[in-house]
Amino acid sequence: MIIMKIVKYIIGTLLLCGSLTGCEDMLDDNINPDKSNKVTPEQALPVVMFYASQANYDHAEYGAYLSMALTTGGKSQTNTYAYKGGWEFLTMNRHPQWRRHFYDIGANVNELIKAAERIKSLNFVLIARTIRLMSTQLTTDMFGDMPRSEAYLSNSPKYDSQESIYQWMLQEADELIALYDNPEWTQAPGNIKITTKMDRVFGGDLGKWRQFTCALKARILLRKLPNWDNNSNSCEQIISAVDAALDNWEEPRYQYDGGTGVASSPWGPSQPIINGWESRGNLLDKAIVSKYFCVDVMGVFEKPTLVSGKAEDPRLEKMMTARSGPEGDTGIKFRYLENNIGMGVSYKERNYPDLFAGIYTKDDGYIPLFTKEELLLIKAEASYWKGDKATARTLTVAAADYNMDRYGVPKTSLPRKNYFEGTYKEKYFPEGNAFTLHHLMLQKYVCMYLQPEQWTDMRRYNYSNNVNKKMYDGIIVYPTLKRPYNLYEPYWLSDKNPDATVKEVWLQRINYDPETEEKYNRAELERLGAYKNADWLKVPMIWAVYK
């Protein structure tokens, strides 16, 4: 990994400051890039916060396709964006998640901490470390082993093992929670007041940042389930972390104002691309909802009903808007495609649902760094594996109910009542032993739409489906799930291949960023077996090793 001159880099990223906070231009004339130009915590924090929201988008944008929620109208085995096509990742020249963590967040966090420590404003240090913790987990969950302990010491640092990174993250979470409880830090004499212009999420409220850190700890601990360290003690730790987070919980939302450039949500119709070549625009105008999401998960109807609307799950109509089709299929309805199967010759993307109709997909929308639904479902999953199915079901219902509120589904509407209490209650929320991981994880899949955890959850449960027959607690978690059509055959083989074991290998990770790692840290990639090796993409994370 090439390490840029950190000060030179932060000066570049701080150009965002004017757009984000309205602060004055802090750059000196005739800057020498090889000499340190002091950056204040007040200038650096809004940049770090902005990139924290962008990191969430980066991971979710890949994940929406890799978890089979969205697809495209094409069917090529190769694609500029492999996650939208045939999973031919090795020819992609850039993965924004890597740079976002090490440069946009990592380098700026380092400078922010140094600046805050110089003036002993420890409240900035706490928030900066918390964002770094969040970014570290997102990044290792996508790439696996990566630089941490030596990340900024050379151009080609060693990669830490994913297991050691998880050990560090748990230690860091515990230390941060203790520091948030320590008045010597939260009320330090040198603490500068953090305003909403600096911190668009919590306005410097350290109590709320503490709850977010507890939530991160719960997510880190959740990785022990269902494969890694699944026992009663792990479940108890997870439940305790969730309870600590939910105590006076407020959702960490990064709210966008709408408009141009960085003012608009990355999920919005303006489709901003941050830093040009570094990022990916959302391209939701070209995306198409998958058959798996639309039919198998949301239960769309061919014909609407008075009691249940256009789908068994009324959230579908709040996530996207039905459209009319071409000649011969002109009705307004929710059309869909199998992943990577391609459109019919008479169809265009405009014949499929408008995906800019949801709460996140507006220019003035928001990105939640963590949701209440996720917390409830983390606790539900831990309760399930602890043997308490009744509590798991109650929490799953509560999460789905809260998610209905988020999307604005009226509480008294017939479709909502029918989903929870009427015709579909037994299908989605059966009681007693009939409630299984399938019901729990299906709800989490819906609640995590356009969130990074959607793909991570699917990998944790090894894409458990009717073909690979990987079972948990005796059941298949995602029964009708199947890999995309037209996968790149040299890597993934054809679906017609008679070897079902090979045929059902799924994508487990993304290759390391070619523009930095293959050029400047090739030796480490070769040591791992990751250099230009498609088989590396099939190696499960430490938390996904199927037992």
Side-chain angles (χ1 to χ4, degrees), residues 100-144:
R100 196 76 70 208
H101 172 67
F102 286 105
Y103 297 96
D104 295 333
I105 292 177
N108 284 293
V109 161
N110 288 346
E111 290 303 301
L112 170 54
I113 290 174
K114 289 177 186 177
E117 288 177 340
R118 276 196 300 265
I119 60 174
K120 295 181 171 53
S121 188
L122 303 181
N123 49 348
F124 282 92
V125 176
L126 288 171
I127 296 173
R129 285 175 59 179
T130 301
I131 293 299
R132 181 175 61 189
L133 176 63
M134 180 202 78
S135 182
T136 300
Q137 185 179 38
L138 288 173
T139 310
T140 189
D141 283 350
M142 175 164 277
F143 296 99

Side-chain angles (χ1 to χ4, degrees), residues 163-205:
E163 184 169 10
S164 71
I165 292 170
Y166 260 86
Q167 291 170 351
W168 174 85
M169 288 193 298
L170 277 176
Q171 179 181 336
E172 179 74 351
D174 284 337
E175 184 173 328
L176 280 169
I177 292 167
L179 293 176
Y180 277 117
D181 290 333
N182 186 345
E184 293 183 4
W185 278 68
T186 58
Q187 300 172 34
N191 282 358
I192 297 172
K193 179 177 173 57
I194 299 175
T195 67
T196 54
K197 282 189 175 182
M198 302 175 206
D199 172 8
R200 296 184 66 147
V201 175
F202 288 139
D205 189 324

Side-chain angles (χ1 to χ4, degrees), residues 4-12 14 26-40 43 107 110-116 118:
M4 301 171 66
K5 296 282 189 182
I6 295 176
V7 174
K8 183 178 179 180
Y9 185 77
I10 194 170
I11 288 171
L14 279 171
M26 78 298 295
L27 301 182
D28 298 332
D29 292 335
N30 302 316
I31 289 174
N32 182 343
D34 295 319
K35 291 185 178 180
S36 178
N37 193 67
K38 287 185 179 179
V39 175
T40 69
Q43 293 165 344
N110 288 346
E111 290 303 301
L112 170 54
I113 290 174
K114 289 177 186 177
R118 276 196 300 265

